[in-house]
Amino acid sequence: MSKEYLYDSMGYGIQIDVTKTYNPSKEGKSVDTRDLGVLLCYLGAVHSEHDGMTYEKDPYVLSKLDFPYKGDWNYHALKGFYGPEENGTWTAPENTVYLKDTGIRNSGLKMVYYVPQFLAGIGSMLRISVEGELLKEIPLTNEGMYEEVFDVNNVGLATQEYLDNAHRILKILLTDFDRVCTKYGLHYYLICGSLLGAVRHGDLIPWDDDVDVAMPRKDFDILLQHVDEEWGTGKDIMFLNYNQMGNHSFLDYMTRIVYMKEEIPVNVFRKIHGKGRKDIENHMPMDIYVLDNASDNEKYHTFQTQFIRGLYGLGMGHRAFINEQEYTNRDDKTQRMVKILTSIGKMIPLSWIFGCYEWVRKWNRNKNCKNYFESNGFIYCIPWKFKQEWFGEGIRLPLGNMTVMAPQNYKAFLNMHYGDFMEFPPMHVRKPTHSEEASGVF
C-alpha cells in the first residue's frame, strides 16, 4: 500500500496572525469597529487536486479559500475572519483556516493577500503558522498585492512518525489477537473508533492511536485460560489484566495486550506512574472490552452499572495521583463524587474492590438478555446498552492490508455511537489521545 499522509486526510490547521491592526472607528474615520488586518484573497494549493471548495462528508474543512466566495460562510473552517467580500476577506488579529487538499503537500500552500495603505508602516507583522509551527513572519511595510508559497512537507513530522509507529504496532497486536481468537474459535469484534476507521477509511483512522475490540463474556473466559500459553513471560506481547498493574495500583478495569518489544511515547499508564509496575510504561496497548449481559429490567441495569461506576471511583483512590482538573468539564455532583469516592477508596483494600467488581459485573451471566454492556469500559460509558443481535457471528472487514472481525450489523453499532458515521468529526478532536503530548482526558 502507498504511504498515507496524515494531513491529506485530516487537513491542516493554518493560523494567520496580524500583530497590529487598524480600527476605523477608533481612528475617527468611520463607524466600522472592526480591527482590520490584511485582505486575504486566496489560500490553498498552488495546484488544487480537489474539485470545488467543500467536501460532502467533511463540513469542517475547505479545500481552499477563494473569491468570489460561493455559498454560506463556513464558520467551522474559518475562524476570526470578517466574512466574504467581493475580492477577499479582511483578517482579524487572529485567524484560523482549516484546509484539506493533497495539492497543498504536492505543490505548496499559496497565499495571496493585499496590504492596505492604512496598515503599511505602522510596524505590523503577518505571521503564518501551520499545525502550530511558524512558517514565516512578514513585515507589512508597503501597500500592495503579495503572493507567498510555503512548503508544508516538513510540518508535523514528529506527529506523523509517532502515528506511523503507533499504527504499525497496533496492527501487530491486532494480528496476533486475531490469530489467537481464530485458533480457539473465539468471537471478537472491532468496535468504536477502530471499527469507524475500517468502515470510513478502510484502515485505522489516520489520527487515531488506539485499537478497541470487544468479546462476549463466554469467549473472554475461554481466552483467559490460554493467555499464559499465548502471551506469557518473555513474549513480545504481554497479556495485562486490570488487576496486574503492580503494587496495589488501579488504572481502570480494562483488559489489554501490550507490545513489549519496543517503546513508544504513550501516556496510557501515566496515572499509575511512580506507584505501579514500570515495565509497561511507554509500551503500546490494545484494549479488550468485555460484553456482559445487560438486564432487560431498566431499574436493575441502572443499579448494576451505577454500582460498577461506584467501584470504579473507589478504585481511583489507588492511583498514583488524582488530577481533579480532568473532571472540571463535568457537573458539580460528579466532581464531588470523584473526591468522595477516591478518598474512601484509599482506605479500602484494592483486593476487596476487585472482588466486589467481579461479582457485580457477572450478575446476569446465566440470564437470557437482549443487550450487552461493556462492564470494563470507560466510566461514563458503562451504562450504555448494545443489542446482542448486532454482533452475532461477526463479519470480516478490511483494515489496511489485513482483515478483522466486526459486528454482524456494524452499521447499527456505529450509528448508535456516531450518528452519521461517514461524516468527519470537528477538527479539534482529530488528534491522537494516547501520545505523550495528549492530555489523556476523554
Side-chain angles (χ1 to χ4, degrees):
M1 295 181 63
S2 60
K3 178 180 175 63
E4 181 176 6
Y5 289 88
L6 172 64
Y7 299 102
D8 287 352
S9 178
M10 185 174 77
Y12 295 90
I14 303 165
Q15 185 79 18
I16 301 172
D17 296 335
V18 185
T19 59
K20 290 185 179 181
T21 53
Y22 179 83
N23 187 304
S25 177
K26 290 180 181 179
E27 297 297 327
K29 300 297 184 181
S30 75
V31 295
D32 188 347
T33 59
R34 296 177 297 175
D35 294 311
L36 300 174
V38 301
L39 184 72
L40 183 62
C41 305
Y42 176 84
L43 187 68
V46 174
H47 302 295
S48 180
E49 297 178 7
H50 177 76
D51 293 333
M53 200 157 62
T54 60
Y55 292 85
E56 182 182 357
K57 288 296 183 179
D58 195 349
Y60 301 98
V61 299
L62 298 171
S63 66
K64 57 181 174 288
L65 182 56
D66 201 3
F67 297 90
Y69 187 93
K70 298 178 181 179
D72 296 331
W73 191 246
N74 189 331
Y75 288 97
H76 295 303
L78 300 163
K79 301 180 184 299
F81 301 95
Y82 290 116
E85 300 198 12
E86 183 178 358
N87 297 316
T89 179
W90 288 106
T91 56
E94 296 180 353
N95 314 269
T96 302
V97 191
Y98 296 116
L99 297 184
K100 183 169 73 173
D101 183 348
T102 53
I104 295 174
R105 173 174 54 84
N106 292 328
S107 61
L109 176 65
K110 177 180 168 181
M111 178 179 178
V112 179
Y113 61 98
Y114 170 68
V115 179
Q117 189 276 330
F118 58 71
L119 208 61
I122 66 171
S124 183
M125 299 277 289
L126 186 64
R127 291 178 177 153
I128 299 93
S129 304
V130 177
E131 290 299 310
E133 298 181 21
L134 181 64
L135 297 187
K136 194 171 185 179
E137 286 187 323
I138 305 169
L140 303 177
T141 54
N142 296 301
E143 179 185 4
M145 291 290 299
Y146 295 88
E147 179 179 312
E148 298 281 347
V149 176
F150 307 101
D151 182 354
V152 298
N153 281 286
N154 291 323
V155 168
L157 290 180
T159 301
Q160 179 78 67
E161 181 183 9
Y162 163 74
L163 285 167
D164 287 346
N165 287 328
H167 288 187
R168 175 179 53 80
I169 294 172
L170 287 167
K171 287 181 178 179
I172 291 173
L173 291 170
L174 187 53
T175 298
D176 204 58
F177 184 78
D178 179 80
R179 175 192 65 80
V180 171
C181 289
T182 300
K183 179 178 179 179
Y184 298 106
L186 305 179
H187 296 88
Y188 82 90
Y189 315 94
L190 202 66
I191 60 169
C192 302
S194 309
L195 176 61
L196 179 62
V199 174
R200 191 173 67 199
H201 301 267
D203 207 333
L204 296 176
I205 294 175
W207 54 86
D208 201 7
D209 60 346
D210 72 343
V211 163
D212 301 315
V213 298
M215 303 184 76
R217 162 61 62 184
K218 64 179 181 179
D219 295 280
F220 178 72
D221 286 346
I222 295 173
L223 179 70
L224 291 178
Q225 299 171 18
H226 300 285
V227 294
D228 288 340
E229 175 186 351
E230 299 294 342
W231 300 309
T233 304
K235 299 285 184 71
D236 290 348
I237 297 175
M238 172 195 291
F239 179 83
L240 183 68
N241 217 342
Y242 69 90
N243 58 356
Q244 297 175 320
M245 296 299 164
N247 196 30
H248 308 287
S249 60
F250 174 83
L251 179 62
D252 50 30
Y253 287 119
M254 185 59 64
T255 299
R256 299 173 170 90
I257 54 174
V258 184
Y259 193 62
M260 301 300 293
K261 191 175 181 180
E262 64 182 276
E263 293 191 353
I264 185 171
V266 292
N267 67 8
V268 178
F269 304 108
R270 66 186 177 86
K271 292 177 181 177
I272 59 171
H273 175 70
K275 180 179 181 180
R277 59 193 299 171
K278 296 180 180 180
D279 59 337
I280 56 176
E281 292 186 350
N282 292 319
H283 289 277
M284 179 64 76
M286 186 188 86
D287 297 341
I288 304 171
Y289 288 77
V290 179
L291 298 173
D292 275 307
N293 285 338
S295 175
D296 296 334
N297 184 307
E298 283 302 319
K299 290 184 178 179
Y300 189 91
H301 176 71
T302 299
F303 178 75
Q304 180 186 22
T305 54
Q306 288 297 96
F307 199 155
I308 292 175
R309 292 171 77 178
L311 291 168
Y312 193 112
L314 293 175
M316 286 169 58
H318 292 269
R319 287 177 174 172
F321 67 93
I322 303 295
N323 183 2
E324 295 180 358
Q325 292 299 313
E326 293 185 4
Y327 303 93
T328 55
N329 63 336
R330 300 288 170 174
D331 58 81
D332 291 342
K333 181 180 178 182
T334 299
Q335 294 183 54
R336 287 196 301 271
M337 287 304 299
V338 168
K339 291 181 180 180
I340 292 170
L341 288 172
T342 54
S343 298
I344 296 173
K346 292 177 182 179
M347 298 182 287
I348 301 175
L350 191 58
S351 59
W352 184 92
I353 298 173
F354 285 166
C356 194
Y357 166 69
E358 282 296 323
W359 172 62
V360 175
R361 73 191 297 204
K362 299 174 185 176
W363 275 354
N364 307 307
R365 184 174 186 171
N366 298 316
K367 296 179 181 179
N368 291 321
C369 302
K370 296 178 181 178
N371 300 288
Y372 290 128
F373 77 108
E374 297 166 348
S375 62
N376 63 337
F378 185 73
I379 185 170
Y380 298 112
C381 308
I382 290 172
W384 296 356
K385 286 185 175 184
F386 307 92
K387 292 183 179 180
Q388 293 188 11
E389 64 184 31
W390 291 348
F391 296 88
E393 289 300 310
I395 183 173
R396 281 207 168 264
L397 294 179
L399 186 81
N401 57 3
M402 60 187 294
T403 63
V404 291
M405 294 303 297
Q408 193 77 37
N409 190 349
Y410 60 84
K411 291 183 179 179
F413 182 92
L414 289 173
N415 187 63
M416 174 189 169
H417 270 278
Y418 305 105
D420 185 358
F421 52 85
M422 294 304 290
E423 182 171 297
F424 279 54
M427 285 295 292
H428 73 273
V429 300
R430 300 184 197 182
K431 57 185 178 181
T433 57
H434 292 332
S435 67
E436 194 174 41
E437 292 78 19
S439 68
V441 180
F442 181 80

